[in-house]
């Protein structure tokens, strides 16, 4: 677990904004004042046919774990939910109202941290584990609808720099296999720390967001590539790209984290693989990169070091660019290369630096977009909404 | 859980061979006679970075669950493995030598049946749960190698007969996007009861088996379609095709199970969707169907009722065809339509009826292949090997 610990410890130093997903949830005890409204229904994140966990109209979650001989059953998230044993041997507990969107959680049975057998599995927080979907008022934009659907394609490719087979997922828009004379722009879209290449499909619904945007005529059809940015252990036979030796540390008084191994994979292996195997528009004006949290930090590092390769940049809860950043020494040159610079946060995150940077860049004449997701924290609803806002802006040449 | 219970109860009546995967493992207590050889290594089915479960050179599995306050930790499979608590609060238990291949299992902590947090999640036995891979002598045929890899594509399509969005996975061979003038034969490949459309990719490695066979020149490149055959609850918002009302029962003294709702989806919705969206050879000579266990029974029912649509039939631990089957009334007509009839079982299954049927069909002049997987039961190693044997035989026109 060495590199995970390293990433966890160092990332908060990087921007003051990046942290393990979920870590910014307030660690206060659940409110026990008012009884819950008894209109609970199975969560949409459940395994088919599973009645629990459930969600009610107040956005409370209710967990139920059958463990007849257990001494204690808890859900450690949200300040700690202590479940109570009923006469049927099942333990039940209810949360305070939660934020809209998607939350990882665990179940602790007599000291064993295990997945809830009611939840579908999601990779996050460094493990395949449980999560609960709290219905959001705007959930329509990532709903499965009777519209033309693109494909989500698993690709295996050999990486010479790591001497491993790597996996990436590629979203191709609905008409990709029909308009075989058409070439498409590409967005490279990265997960956060302790997540992996399955995150944007399974919990982010990137494919459904694009299906719906494209059908509504709000977004140009483009390809999305989702690779494994490391700092997790999802790989099985695959291995995450390790930090370069000596790469993490303090340089010139400024903490930094070195994503150079992953950067090399992106520029020297992944992009060539995608351009060789998909009908891409394989040039700088038609290549974007975005990422959430750690993936945003990777996006910033990789795009700013490769402005000959990327023209659109999205940082979702993953830092922003200060006016004194060396990349902005020549603002006019920067704006000529970077057509869209998009920074977003959840309103419950610490947004002060990003807002200040946004305004400072505007004063420099660098047009950039700042988006704030209402009433969400450092979690997937912020990032789903960020993609929904970002996608219509890109590749508008 | 109504239809799952129904399927479980009725399926054994169908052929005497079909049962829930894993159910044929002998329910004898583990042998405690000799100490295990202490060369245990993490299983390849583990989540990356997880040290347990482990496997040793004798093919024993060792489980380790951290549950400091638990009173009892068990693995109910293989006759029941009772784990013993160590001074570090972790519970450890070791199995007898297991069959080569892939085995589902659960962990029971003080009465709670939960996934092992060390295993990657697999859908089987009606749930997303745990499994352990026991290395097989022939594992090379489904290994990830530095060969050209096909894609595994998730497709969403709208089903009018069920009024739901359905999901299928489609394997396209490595050259599919390059040889855009080429059209390909299609194999429809089905999972077993209490499994779903993820099974052949995640645990069956159908994509890797074909990648390796095609690279070796042993198999013609073809497309594989893996849909959800029902009798499980994997769908989330999707729903399994229910048995037709009144469809299950006894007709003419012969027990039968009605897969007609799924059959209608295959012939009226799935095949047209695939032929409209992939470069298929959309005719009977270039369309095969195969399946394991319940999927074999579905394959038999669907292909025999649609010999104008299918020319190759694979039944993997899923019954066989008796010489007095109405479909064989005219053996010459049957052999003109069915180019390959392939039946397989694991050697630890009850194979008497399949062997007898194989010989009876040969006597009728109906060429058919019987394959027996050495030293395996009603489990995935039997079915991986069956696909490996079946694939080189099909589409040899």
């Amino acid at each position: 677990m060495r590199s995970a610990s390293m990433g966890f410890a160092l990332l908060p130093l990087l921007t003051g904004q990046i942290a393990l997903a979920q870590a910014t949830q307030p660690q206060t005890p659940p409110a026990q004042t008012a009884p819950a409204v008894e209109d609970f229904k199975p969560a949409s994140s459940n395994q088919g046919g599973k009645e629990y966990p459930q969600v009610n109209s107040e956005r409370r979650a209710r967990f139920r774990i059958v463990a007849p001989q257990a001494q204690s059953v808890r859900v450690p998230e949200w300040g700690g939910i202590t479940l109570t044993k009923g006469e049927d041997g099942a333990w039940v507990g209810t949360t305070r109202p939660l934020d809209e969107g998607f939350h990882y959680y665990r179940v602790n049975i007599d000291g064993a941290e295990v997945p809830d057998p009611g939840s579908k599995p999601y990779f996050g927080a460094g493990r395949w584990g449980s999560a609960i979907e709290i219905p959001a008022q705007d959930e329509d934009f990532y709903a499965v609808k009777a519209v033309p659907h693109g494909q989500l394609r698993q690709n295996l490719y050999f990486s010479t720099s790591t001497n491993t087979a790597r996996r990436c997922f590629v979203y191709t828009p609905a008409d990709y296999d029909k308009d075989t004379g058409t070439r498409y722009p590409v967005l490279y879209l990265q997960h956060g720390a302790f997540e992996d290449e399955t995150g944007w499909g399974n919990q982010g619904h990137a494919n459904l967001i694009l299906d719906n945007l494209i059908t509504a005529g709000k977004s140009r059809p483009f390809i999305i590539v989702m690779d494994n940015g490391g700092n997790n252990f999802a790989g099985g036979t695959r291995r995450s790209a390790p930090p370069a030796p000596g790469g993490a540390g303090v340089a010139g008084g400024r903490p930094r984290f070195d994503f150079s191994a992953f950067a090399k994979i992106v520029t020297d292996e992944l992009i060539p693989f995608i351009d060789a195997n998909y009908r891409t528009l394989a040039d700088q004006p038609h290549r974007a990169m975005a990422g959430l949290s750690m993936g945003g930090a990777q996006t910033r590092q990789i795009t700013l070091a490769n402005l000959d390769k990327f023209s659109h940049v999205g940082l979702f809860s993953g830092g922003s660019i200060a006016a004194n950043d060396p990349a902005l020494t020549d603002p006019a040159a920067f704006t000529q290369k970077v057509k869209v610079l998009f920074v977003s946060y959840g309103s419950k995150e610490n947004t002060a630096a990003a807002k200040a940077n946004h305004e400072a860049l505007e004063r420099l004449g660098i047009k950039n977009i700042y988006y704030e997701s209402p009433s969400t924290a450092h979690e997937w609803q912020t990032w789903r909404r960020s993609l929904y806002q970002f996608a219509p802006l890109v590749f508008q040449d």
Side-chain angles (χ1 to χ4, degrees), chain A:
Chain A
M1 299 293 285
R2 188 171 48 82
S3 70
S5 304
M6 191 185 290
F8 189 31
L10 286 171
L11 282 170
L13 299 176
L14 179 57
T15 65
Q17 305 278 0
I18 300 173
L20 174 62
Q22 320 298 327
T24 56
Q25 289 280 346
Q27 296 296 305
T28 51
Q32 300 289 1
T33 48
V37 175
E38 289 299 328
D39 56 358
F40 287 89
K41 297 193 180 79
S44 64
S45 43
N46 287 7
Q47 298 187 29
K50 296 285 186 185
E51 288 296 313
Y52 284 86
Q54 299 191 334
V55 186
N56 80 349
S57 58
E58 301 170 287
R59 305 193 312 272
R60 293 179 195 265
R62 176 169 286 172
F63 304 99
R64 181 177 183 273
I65 302 292
V66 177
Q69 286 88 46
Q71 308 300 305
S72 160
V73 178
R74 295 172 62 251
V75 170
E77 279 69 34
W78 306 292
I81 312 297
T82 300
L83 279 63
T84 305
K85 189 177 180 180
E87 292 181 2
D88 58 356
W91 298 71
V92 175
T94 305
T95 70
R96 60 173 164 77
L98 303 178
D99 289 348
E100 297 187 340
F102 179 94
H103 312 290
Y104 298 118
Y105 72 97
R106 300 156 285 178
V107 177
N108 188 303
I109 303 174
D110 286 348
E113 286 204 345
V114 293
D116 183 340
S119 167
K120 279 193 275 195
Y122 300 92
F123 194 84
R127 61 174 188 251
W128 281 100
S130 304
I132 188 161
E133 183 77 44
I134 307 294
Q137 292 183 28
D138 57 349
E139 65 188 0
D140 187 67
F141 78 82
Y142 50 90
V144 179
K145 300 186 194 179
V147 301
H149 293 291
Q151 297 174 358
L152 199 54
R153 307 182 181 193
Q154 175 187 290
N155 292 260
L156 300 176
Y157 68 101
F158 191 77
S159 158
T160 51
S161 73
T162 59
N163 196 32
T164 56
R166 290 179 60 88
R167 179 171 73 167
C168 66
F169 289 93
V170 177
Y171 167 81
T172 53
D175 286 339
Y176 182 86
D177 276 335
K178 288 180 179 157
D179 300 343
T180 54
T182 303
R183 304 186 79 86
Y184 294 83
V186 184
L187 166 64
Y188 291 82
L189 184 62
Q190 287 303 125
H191 60 83
F194 306 106
E195 296 177 333
D196 73 2
E197 69 274 22
T198 64
W200 270 109
N202 282 352
Q203 47 260 50
H205 300 316
N207 53 329
L208 300 174
I209 292 170
L210 263 288
D211 287 346
N212 292 335
L213 279 172
I214 292 168
T215 301
K218 291 179 181 168
S219 178
R220 175 176 174 174
F222 57 84
I223 291 167
I224 304 178
V225 177
M226 293 153 275
D227 202 282
N228 187 320
N231 280 294
N232 65 63
F233 300 95
T237 56
R238 295 167 293 113
R239 281 290 170 259
S240 303
V250 175
R254 183 181 172 191
R256 68 189 173 84
F257 194 82
D258 191 339
F259 299 118
S260 63
F262 180 60
K264 186 175 167 62
I265 289 170
V266 170
T267 58
D268 297 359
E269 300 182 332
L270 181 59
I271 291 176
F273 172 79
I274 295 298
D275 285 339
N277 287 280
Y278 289 88
R279 294 196 319 279
T280 62
L281 290 163
D283 55 15
Q284 190 264 4
H286 301 97
R287 194 178 294 122
M289 187 168 184
L292 71 92
S293 193
M294 179 189 81
Q298 292 174 323
T299 296
R300 184 171 66 173
Q301 179 172 319
I302 293 171
T303 56
L304 295 189
N306 295 278
L307 289 181
D308 59 322
K309 294 189 174 64
F310 297 95
S311 51
H312 299 72
V313 180
L315 312 179
F316 307 164
S317 304
S320 56
I321 302 180
N324 65 350
D325 192 289
L328 306 184
T329 307
D330 182 346
F334 184 84
T335 54
Q336 193 167 23
K337 286 178 177 166
V338 178
K339 297 306 176 194
V340 171
L341 171 58
F342 177 99
V343 171
S344 65
Y345 275 95
S347 67
K348 296 187 174 187
E349 298 188 85
N350 182 349
T351 63
K355 281 178 182 163
N357 285 342
H358 164 66
E359 287 162 17
L361 264 58
E362 291 285 333
R363 286 196 294 273
L364 276 182
I366 297 174
K367 187 166 154 40
N368 66 108
I369 297 101
Y370 176 73
Y371 166 72
E372 203 164 283
S373 164
S375 304
T376 61
H378 197 71
E379 295 193 283
W380 274 97
Q381 194 67 8
T382 299
W383 307 321
R384 292 169 177 165
R385 288 174 178 162
S386 295
L387 178 60
Y388 181 69
Q389 297 292 328
F390 181 66
L393 305 175
V394 298
F395 310 130
Q396 295 302 312
D397 57 351

